[in-house]
PDB file of all heavy atoms in Angstrom:
ATOM      1  N   SER A  95       0.803  -1.216   0.000  1.00  0.00           N
ATOM      2  CA  SER A  95       0.000   0.000   0.000  1.00  0.00           C
ATOM      3  C   SER A  95       0.836   1.267   0.000  1.00  0.00           C
ATOM      4  O   SER A  95       0.323   2.355  -0.296  1.00  0.00           O
ATOM      5  CB  SER A  95      -0.939   0.003   1.210  1.00  0.00           C
ATOM      6  OG  SER A  95      -0.193  -0.055   2.422  1.00  0.00           O
ATOM      7  N   ASN A  96       2.121   1.155   0.326  1.00  0.00           N
ATOM      8  CA  ASN A  96       3.023   2.305   0.308  1.00  0.00           C
ATOM      9  C   ASN A  96       3.811   2.418  -0.990  1.00  0.00           C
ATOM     10  O   ASN A  96       4.698   3.261  -1.112  1.00  0.00           O
ATOM     11  CB  ASN A  96       4.003   2.223   1.485  1.00  0.00           C
ATOM     12  CG  ASN A  96       3.318   2.418   2.820  1.00  0.00           C
ATOM     13  OD1 ASN A  96       2.596   3.385   3.016  1.00  0.00           O
ATOM     14  ND2 ASN A  96       3.532   1.489   3.741  1.00  0.00           N
ATOM     15  N   GLY A  97       3.492   1.550  -1.952  1.00  0.00           N
ATOM     16  CA  GLY A  97       4.191   1.577  -3.228  1.00  0.00           C
ATOM     17  C   GLY A  97       5.537   0.889  -3.209  1.00  0.00           C
ATOM     18  O   GLY A  97       6.313   1.017  -4.160  1.00  0.00           O
ATOM     19  N   ASN A  98       5.817   0.136  -2.158  1.00  0.00           N
ATOM     20  CA  ASN A  98       7.095  -0.571  -2.050  1.00  0.00           C
ATOM     21  C   ASN A  98       7.050  -1.903  -2.788  1.00  0.00           C
ATOM     22  O   ASN A  98       6.017  -2.587  -2.789  1.00  0.00           O
ATOM     23  CB  ASN A  98       7.437  -0.854  -0.588  1.00  0.00           C
ATOM     24  CG  ASN A  98       7.570   0.398   0.231  1.00  0.00           C
ATOM     25  OD1 ASN A  98       8.252   1.334  -0.161  1.00  0.00           O
ATOM     26  ND2 ASN A  98       6.917   0.415   1.391  1.00  0.00           N
ATOM     27  N   VAL A  99       8.156  -2.280  -3.373  1.00  0.00           N
ATOM     28  CA  VAL A  99       8.290  -3.612  -3.953  1.00  0.00           C
ATOM     29  C   VAL A  99       8.332  -4.628  -2.816  1.00  0.00           C
ATOM     30  O   VAL A  99       9.101  -4.467  -1.857  1.00  0.00           O
ATOM     31  CB  VAL A  99       9.575  -3.719  -4.796  1.00  0.00           C
ATOM     32  CG1 VAL A  99       9.781  -5.155  -5.279  1.00  0.00           C
ATOM     33  CG2 VAL A  99       9.519  -2.757  -5.973  1.00  0.00           C
ATOM     34  N   VAL A 100       7.507  -5.638  -2.880  1.00  0.00           N
ATOM     35  CA  VAL A 100       7.489  -6.714  -1.888  1.00  0.00           C
ATOM     36  C   VAL A 100       7.696  -8.036  -2.612  1.00  0.00           C
ATOM     37  O   VAL A 100       7.343  -8.181  -3.787  1.00  0.00           O
ATOM     38  CB  VAL A 100       6.174  -6.735  -1.076  1.00  0.00           C
ATOM     39  CG1 VAL A 100       6.052  -5.485  -0.223  1.00  0.00           C
ATOM     40  CG2 VAL A 100       4.964  -6.863  -1.983  1.00  0.00           C
ATOM     41  N   LEU A 101       8.285  -9.006  -1.911  1.00  0.00           N
ATOM     42  CA  LEU A 101       8.641 -10.295  -2.505  1.00  0.00           C
ATOM     43  C   LEU A 101       8.040 -11.431  -1.690  1.00  0.00           C
ATOM     44  O   LEU A 101       8.042 -11.385  -0.456  1.00  0.00           O
ATOM     45  CB  LEU A 101      10.164 -10.450  -2.565  1.00  0.00           C
ATOM     46  CG  LEU A 101      11.003  -9.565  -3.493  1.00  0.00           C
ATOM     47  CD1 LEU A 101      10.471  -9.584  -4.922  1.00  0.00           C
ATOM     48  CD2 LEU A 101      11.114  -8.153  -2.982  1.00  0.00           C
ATOM     49  N   SER A 102       7.596 -12.464  -2.364  1.00  0.00           N
ATOM     50  CA  SER A 102       6.905 -13.561  -1.681  1.00  0.00           C
ATOM     51  C   SER A 102       7.826 -14.363  -0.775  1.00  0.00           C
ATOM     52  O   SER A 102       7.355 -14.981   0.188  1.00  0.00           O
ATOM     53  CB  SER A 102       6.248 -14.485  -2.709  1.00  0.00           C
ATOM     54  OG  SER A 102       7.215 -15.058  -3.582  1.00  0.00           O
ATOM     55  N   ASN A 103       9.126 -14.380  -1.058  1.00  0.00           N
ATOM     56  CA  ASN A 103      10.067 -15.123  -0.218  1.00  0.00           C
ATOM     57  C   ASN A 103      10.864 -14.219   0.718  1.00  0.00           C
ATOM     58  O   ASN A 103      11.951 -14.585   1.167  1.00  0.00           O
ATOM     59  CB  ASN A 103      11.022 -15.940  -1.082  1.00  0.00           C
ATOM     60  CG  ASN A 103      10.323 -17.096  -1.790  1.00  0.00           C
ATOM     61  OD1 ASN A 103       9.249 -17.528  -1.381  1.00  0.00           O
ATOM     62  ND2 ASN A 103      10.922 -17.594  -2.860  1.00  0.00           N
ATOM     63  N   ASP A 104      10.310 -13.072   1.006  1.00  0.00           N
ATOM     64  CA  ASP A 104      10.915 -12.127   1.950  1.00  0.00           C
ATOM     65  C   ASP A 104      10.053 -12.098   3.199  1.00  0.00           C
ATOM     66  O   ASP A 104       9.379 -11.112   3.499  1.00  0.00           O
ATOM     67  CB  ASP A 104      11.008 -10.745   1.294  1.00  0.00           C
ATOM     68  CG  ASP A 104      11.628  -9.680   2.197  1.00  0.00           C
ATOM     69  OD1 ASP A 104      12.259 -10.044   3.204  1.00  0.00           O
ATOM     70  OD2 ASP A 104      11.466  -8.485   1.869  1.00  0.00           O
ATOM     71  N   ALA A 105      10.060 -13.207   3.941  1.00  0.00           N
ATOM     72  CA  ALA A 105       9.150 -13.356   5.082  1.00  0.00           C
ATOM     73  C   ALA A 105       9.356 -12.283   6.138  1.00  0.00           C
ATOM     74  O   ALA A 105       8.411 -11.848   6.795  1.00  0.00           O
ATOM     75  CB  ALA A 105       9.319 -14.746   5.690  1.00  0.00           C
ATOM     76  N   ALA A 106      10.590 -11.852   6.323  1.00  0.00           N
ATOM     77  CA  ALA A 106      10.875 -10.850   7.350  1.00  0.00           C
ATOM     78  C   ALA A 106      10.497  -9.437   6.917  1.00  0.00           C
ATOM     79  O   ALA A 106      10.381  -8.537   7.754  1.00  0.00           O
ATOM     80  CB  ALA A 106      12.357 -10.900   7.722  1.00  0.00           C
ATOM     81  N   GLY A 107      10.336  -9.223   5.606  1.00  0.00           N
ATOM     82  CA  GLY A 107       9.995  -7.891   5.115  1.00  0.00           C
ATOM     83  C   GLY A 107      11.192  -6.962   4.999  1.00  0.00           C
ATOM     84  O   GLY A 107      11.067  -5.746   5.204  1.00  0.00           O
ATOM     85  N   VAL A 108      12.348  -7.499   4.632  1.00  0.00           N
ATOM     86  CA  VAL A 108      13.561  -6.693   4.515  1.00  0.00           C
ATOM     87  C   VAL A 108      13.438  -5.645   3.414  1.00  0.00           C
ATOM     88  O   VAL A 108      13.763  -4.468   3.614  1.00  0.00           O
ATOM     89  CB  VAL A 108      14.786  -7.604   4.246  1.00  0.00           C
ATOM     90  CG1 VAL A 108      15.997  -6.782   3.834  1.00  0.00           C
ATOM     91  CG2 VAL A 108      15.103  -8.436   5.490  1.00  0.00           C
ATOM     92  N   ALA A 109      12.973  -6.049   2.234  1.00  0.00           N
ATOM     93  CA  ALA A 109      12.933  -5.131   1.090  1.00  0.00           C
ATOM     94  C   ALA A 109      12.050  -3.915   1.359  1.00  0.00           C
ATOM     95  O   ALA A 109      12.492  -2.770   1.161  1.00  0.00           O
ATOM     96  CB  ALA A 109      12.495  -5.865  -0.170  1.00  0.00           C
ATOM     97  N   PRO A 110      10.810  -4.074   1.812  1.00  0.00           N
ATOM     98  CA  PRO A 110      10.006  -2.875   2.067  1.00  0.00           C
ATOM     99  C   PRO A 110      10.542  -2.025   3.213  1.00  0.00           C
ATOM    100  O   PRO A 110      10.409  -0.798   3.186  1.00  0.00           O
ATOM    101  CB  PRO A 110       8.606  -3.428   2.370  1.00  0.00           C
ATOM    102  CG  PRO A 110       8.806  -4.859   2.726  1.00  0.00           C
ATOM    103  CD  PRO A 110      10.007  -5.300   1.951  1.00  0.00           C
ATOM    104  N   ARG A 111      11.160  -2.649   4.200  1.00  0.00           N
ATOM    105  CA  ARG A 111      11.711  -1.873   5.307  1.00  0.00           C
ATOM    106  C   ARG A 111      12.848  -0.974   4.833  1.00  0.00           C
ATOM    107  O   ARG A 111      12.938   0.195   5.229  1.00  0.00           O
ATOM    108  CB  ARG A 111      12.199  -2.799   6.419  1.00  0.00           C
ATOM    109  CG  ARG A 111      12.594  -2.093   7.714  1.00  0.00           C
ATOM    110  CD  ARG A 111      11.423  -1.373   8.333  1.00  0.00           C
ATOM    111  NE  ARG A 111      11.733  -0.839   9.655  1.00  0.00           N
ATOM    112  CZ  ARG A 111      10.963   0.014  10.314  1.00  0.00           C
ATOM    113  NH1 ARG A 111       9.815   0.421   9.772  1.00  0.00           N
ATOM    114  NH2 ARG A 111      11.302   0.452  11.511  1.00  0.00           N
ATOM    115  N   LEU A 112      13.705  -1.495   3.976  1.00  0.00           N
ATOM    116  CA  LEU A 112      14.788  -0.680   3.433  1.00  0.00           C
ATOM    117  C   LEU A 112      14.238   0.463   2.592  1.00  0.00           C
ATOM    118  O   LEU A 112      14.722   1.609   2.678  1.00  0.00           O
ATOM    119  CB  LEU A 112      15.724  -1.540   2.591  1.00  0.00           C
ATOM    120  CG  LEU A 112      16.636  -2.494   3.351  1.00  0.00           C
ATOM    121  CD1 LEU A 112      17.357  -3.426   2.383  1.00  0.00           C
ATOM    122  CD2 LEU A 112      17.647  -1.738   4.201  1.00  0.00           C
ATOM    123  N   GLN A 113      13.217   0.175   1.791  1.00  0.00           N
ATOM    124  CA  GLN A 113      12.630   1.227   0.959  1.00  0.00           C
ATOM    125  C   GLN A 113      12.037   2.336   1.819  1.00  0.00           C
ATOM    126  O   GLN A 113      12.211   3.530   1.522  1.00  0.00           O
ATOM    127  CB  GLN A 113      11.560   0.625   0.046  1.00  0.00           C
ATOM    128  CG  GLN A 113      12.125  -0.287  -1.023  1.00  0.00           C
ATOM    129  CD  GLN A 113      11.065  -1.115  -1.714  1.00  0.00           C
ATOM    130  OE1 GLN A 113      10.274  -0.600  -2.508  1.00  0.00           O
ATOM    131  NE2 GLN A 113      11.044  -2.410  -1.431  1.00  0.00           N
ATOM    132  N   MET A 114      11.352   1.968   2.874  1.00  0.00           N
ATOM    133  CA  MET A 114      10.745   2.975   3.750  1.00  0.00           C
ATOM    134  C   MET A 114      11.810   3.810   4.452  1.00  0.00           C
ATOM    135  O   MET A 114      11.668   5.034   4.593  1.00  0.00           O
ATOM    136  CB  MET A 114       9.822   2.307   4.762  1.00  0.00           C
ATOM    137  CG  MET A 114       8.563   1.714   4.157  1.00  0.00           C
ATOM    138  SD  MET A 114       7.480   2.965   3.410  1.00  0.00           S
ATOM    139  CE  MET A 114       6.825   3.758   4.895  1.00  0.00           C
ATOM    140  N   MET A 115      12.898   3.177   4.897  1.00  0.00           N
ATOM    141  CA  MET A 115      13.959   3.937   5.559  1.00  0.00           C
ATOM    142  C   MET A 115      14.560   4.966   4.612  1.00  0.00           C
ATOM    143  O   MET A 115      14.743   6.142   4.979  1.00  0.00           O
ATOM    144  CB  MET A 115      15.057   3.003   6.064  1.00  0.00           C
ATOM    145  CG  MET A 115      16.175   3.724   6.804  1.00  0.00           C
ATOM    146  SD  MET A 115      17.677   2.732   7.026  1.00  0.00           S
ATOM    147  CE  MET A 115      18.387   2.812   5.374  1.00  0.00           C
ATOM    148  N   PHE A 116      14.855   4.555   3.390  1.00  0.00           N
ATOM    149  CA  PHE A 116      15.458   5.490   2.447  1.00  0.00           C
ATOM    150  C   PHE A 116      14.481   6.589   2.034  1.00  0.00           C
ATOM    151  O   PHE A 116      14.883   7.728   1.799  1.00  0.00           O
ATOM    152  CB  PHE A 116      15.995   4.750   1.222  1.00  0.00           C
ATOM    153  CG  PHE A 116      17.308   4.070   1.482  1.00  0.00           C
ATOM    154  CD1 PHE A 116      17.459   2.706   1.290  1.00  0.00           C
ATOM    155  CD2 PHE A 116      18.409   4.791   1.925  1.00  0.00           C
ATOM    156  CE1 PHE A 116      18.668   2.081   1.524  1.00  0.00           C
ATOM    157  CE2 PHE A 116      19.631   4.172   2.174  1.00  0.00           C
ATOM    158  CZ  PHE A 116      19.756   2.812   1.970  1.00  0.00           C
ATOM    159  N   LYS A 117      13.202   6.271   1.971  1.00  0.00           N
ATOM    160  CA  LYS A 117      12.207   7.308   1.690  1.00  0.00           C
ATOM    161  C   LYS A 117      12.103   8.299   2.852  1.00  0.00           C
ATOM    162  O   LYS A 117      11.762   9.466   2.660  1.00  0.00           O
ATOM    163  CB  LYS A 117      10.835   6.674   1.445  1.00  0.00           C
ATOM    164  CG  LYS A 117      10.701   5.908   0.145  1.00  0.00           C
ATOM    165  CD  LYS A 117       9.330   5.254   0.045  1.00  0.00           C
ATOM    166  CE  LYS A 117       9.165   4.460  -1.238  1.00  0.00           C
ATOM    167  NZ  LYS A 117       7.833   3.787  -1.310  1.00  0.00           N
ATOM    168  N   GLY A 118      12.400   7.826   4.059  1.00  0.00           N
ATOM    169  CA  GLY A 118      12.252   8.668   5.244  1.00  0.00           C
ATOM    170  C   GLY A 118      13.416   9.602   5.503  1.00  0.00           C
ATOM    171  O   GLY A 118      13.247  10.642   6.162  1.00  0.00           O
ATOM    172  N   LEU A 119      14.612   9.272   5.019  1.00  0.00           N
ATOM    173  CA  LEU A 119      15.771  10.118   5.285  1.00  0.00           C
ATOM    174  C   LEU A 119      15.526  11.540   4.780  1.00  0.00           C
ATOM    175  O   LEU A 119      15.042  11.742   3.659  1.00  0.00           O
ATOM    176  CB  LEU A 119      17.020   9.535   4.621  1.00  0.00           C
ATOM    177  CG  LEU A 119      17.575   8.255   5.236  1.00  0.00           C
ATOM    178  CD1 LEU A 119      18.718   7.712   4.387  1.00  0.00           C
ATOM    179  CD2 LEU A 119      18.043   8.492   6.669  1.00  0.00           C
ATOM    180  N   GLY A 120      15.847  12.513   5.623  1.00  0.00           N
ATOM    181  CA  GLY A 120      15.673  13.907   5.252  1.00  0.00           C
ATOM    182  C   GLY A 120      14.271  14.439   5.464  1.00  0.00           C
ATOM    183  O   GLY A 120      13.983  15.590   5.112  1.00  0.00           O
ATOM    184  N   THR A 121      13.374  13.626   6.051  1.00  0.00           N
ATOM    185  CA  THR A 121      11.997  14.067   6.287  1.00  0.00           C
ATOM    186  C   THR A 121      11.698  14.088   7.783  1.00  0.00           C
ATOM    187  O   THR A 121      12.390  13.468   8.588  1.00  0.00           O
ATOM    188  CB  THR A 121      10.990  13.138   5.585  1.00  0.00           C
ATOM    189  OG1 THR A 121      11.002  11.838   6.230  1.00  0.00           O
ATOM    190  CG2 THR A 121      11.320  12.971   4.119  1.00  0.00           C
ATOM    191  N   GLY A 122      10.660  14.817   8.147  1.00  0.00           N
ATOM    192  CA  GLY A 122      10.231  14.861   9.541  1.00  0.00           C
ATOM    193  C   GLY A 122      11.222  15.546  10.459  1.00  0.00           C
ATOM    194  O   GLY A 122      11.153  15.367  11.681  1.00  0.00           O
ATOM    195  N   GLY A 123      12.151  16.307   9.892  1.00  0.00           N
ATOM    196  CA  GLY A 123      13.136  17.006  10.718  1.00  0.00           C
ATOM    197  C   GLY A 123      14.192  16.109  11.321  1.00  0.00           C
ATOM    198  O   GLY A 123      14.874  16.511  12.272  1.00  0.00           O
ATOM    199  N   GLU A 124      14.374  14.901  10.768  1.00  0.00           N
ATOM    200  CA  GLU A 124      15.374  13.995  11.353  1.00  0.00           C
ATOM    201  C   GLU A 124      16.767  14.607  11.234  1.00  0.00           C
ATOM    202  O   GLU A 124      17.110  15.208  10.211  1.00  0.00           O
ATOM    203  CB  GLU A 124      15.311  12.607  10.704  1.00  0.00           C
ATOM    204  CG  GLU A 124      15.631  12.523   9.213  1.00  0.00           C
ATOM    205  CD  GLU A 124      17.110  12.306   8.923  1.00  0.00           C
ATOM    206  OE1 GLU A 124      17.892  12.104   9.858  1.00  0.00           O
ATOM    207  OE2 GLU A 124      17.471  12.349   7.728  1.00  0.00           O
TER     208      GLU A 124
END
């Protein structure tokens, strides 16, 4: 739902988590 690439054999959710982190850098005053 966030537009992230997800994979059926990525049970832990590594790929979407990395995408969200990189999308977040520089936002929210971090």
Side-chain angles (χ1 to χ4, degrees):
S95 60
N96 291 308
N98 299 311
V99 174
V100 294
L101 292 308
S102 61
N103 291 340
D104 180 16
V108 168
R111 189 62 172 168
L112 287 172
Q113 291 167 73
M114 291 296 287
M115 182 195 76
F116 282 123
K117 289 177 181 178
L119 289 174
T121 68
E124 63 89 6

